[in-house]
Amino acid sequence: MKELITVRIYFENGQKIQNQSFWKKMYASDFSTELLKKAKAFGLQQVLHLNVSRGYFNNQSIIWGTSEMRHLKHPHLIEIMDTPFKIHQFLEEQKELLQEITTVIVKNEILIK
């Protein structure tokens, strides 16, 4: 059985992608879509963009995700699962994209099939 780890990437709805041209900023995908595309292209086993109904970062006030338009500070979570080697390769490759993001690596205790 291969060892797997999970990476959780926490970011706000208004997260910007750094070092983009003016036109890319105007017409490019949002942060979560860009990260999902990069993970898929890299060949990672599983990537999920989890819907957060409410929460907060950095001891701010609670942001409720009940309206059609999400607040810029609304928390989001992307979860990636694969082998430690592949995860670390991906994180190293995406270091610039993830430089202002909180990333937590969780070692999976058991894999049940």
Side-chain angles (χ1 to χ4, degrees), residues 53-70:
S53 61
R54 64 192 67 83
Y56 64 92
F57 290 133
N58 301 322
N59 206 19
Q60 298 169 345
S61 59
I62 297 173
I63 305 294
W64 300 85
T66 54
S67 67
E68 289 181 23
M69 296 293 293
R70 299 268 180 183

Side-chain angles (χ1 to χ4, degrees), residues 5-11 32 35-36 39 44-52 76-82 87 90-91 102-106 108:
I5 62 171
T6 301
V7 173
R8 292 186 182 139
I9 300 172
Y10 299 95
F11 59 97
S32 62
L35 190 58
L36 281 167
L44 293 173
Q45 180 177 334
Q46 178 174 305
V47 181
L48 302 171
H49 181 187
L50 302 170
N51 185 15
V52 177
H76 282 266
L77 168 63
I78 288 185
E79 191 173 88
I80 302 171
M81 188 174 73
D82 210 314
I87 293 280
F90 178 72
L91 293 176
T102 302
T103 305
V104 178
I105 297 177
V106 180
N108 298 351

Side-chain angles (χ1 to χ4, degrees), residues 8-25:
R8 292 186 182 139
I9 300 172
Y10 299 95
F11 59 97
E12 294 176 341
N13 187 45
Q15 179 64 41
K16 302 288 184 208
I17 300 173
Q18 302 300 318
N19 302 322
Q20 283 189 318
S21 69
F22 172 77
W23 295 109
K24 275 272 200 188
K25 286 179 186 176

